[in-house]
Amino acid sequence: METIFTPANEQSIALAAELIKKGDIVAIPTETVYGIAANACDGEAVKKIFKAKGRPQDNPLIVHICDNNMLYDVVKYVNADAQKLADAFWPGPLTIIMPKSDKISSENCAGLDSVGVRMPSDPVANAIIRASGLPLGAPSANLSGKPSPTSAEDVLADMNGRLPLIIDGGSCARGVESTVISVLEDTPVLLRPGYI
């Protein structure tokens, strides 16, 4: 497979959105690290991420959204703790674990009935999500076990020939993975320390 490596612009964002809508995978920048994105509602598309990364399929993917309207396609409901966290830290590097809606593929969530959701602050990531009109499952864009990439060149080193498109949005503003908090129980639980 030939991998197109291109700067972020209107044309490349539109191309990324088209590939995602067709069930393909694309490497995109976020403010934390670069991610490999696919339509989170399409189990076959999500499987391509696991294959490209060599990632175990029992490791769920975080779903990226661009606005609150999209959130209600991804989760069954938003409780008070989730709403407080979203109001305080979105858009930004916080992932909130909530009960998943039936629209999100089982493959994306490794068969769990919950889903990690975040709203990135990176303008390129948001433009791609908005242009596709889809919530995107997106883990870091590296081979499993390798360091998470903070530049498009890092992604190219690992992923050249493994996916059709890498969007170069420059260096990641944060360079550290998102903080992950579960609000599935009465008391929120920190599952992964991150930038926040």
Side-chain angles (χ1 to χ4, degrees), residues 19-26 36-52 57 61 103-109 137:
L19 286 167
I20 288 164
K21 284 192 270 191
K22 287 195 318 193
D24 226 320
I25 59 175
V26 176
I36 303 177
N39 176 2
C41 305
D42 180 346
E44 291 306 309
V46 168
K47 285 178 185 176
K48 293 178 183 178
I49 294 177
F50 287 100
K51 185 176 179 192
Q57 293 200 3
L61 308 182
K103 291 184 180 178
I104 299 300
S105 69
S106 175
E107 289 85 352
N108 189 92
C109 301

Side-chain angles (χ1 to χ4, degrees), residues 1-6 11-28 36-40 42 44-46 48-49 128 131-134 136 162-167:
M1 176 191 304
E2 183 185 353
T3 298
I4 298 168
F5 184 89
T6 180
Q11 291 77 19
S12 62
I13 286 167
L15 175 59
E18 283 308 308
L19 286 167
I20 288 164
K21 284 192 270 191
K22 287 195 318 193
D24 226 320
I25 59 175
V26 176
I28 67 170
I36 303 177
N39 176 2
D42 180 346
E44 291 306 309
V46 168
K48 293 178 183 178
I49 294 177
I128 292 168
S132 73
L134 296 163
L136 304 183
R162 292 176 169 267
L163 42 68
L165 180 65
I166 298 170
I167 302 284

Side-chain angles (χ1 to χ4, degrees), residues 136-161:
L136 304 183
S140 56
N142 54 285
L143 292 171
S144 210
K146 298 280 274 300
S148 296
T150 56
S151 74
E153 290 78 15
D154 292 343
V155 179
L156 187 64
D158 263 9
M159 290 292 147
N160 193 16

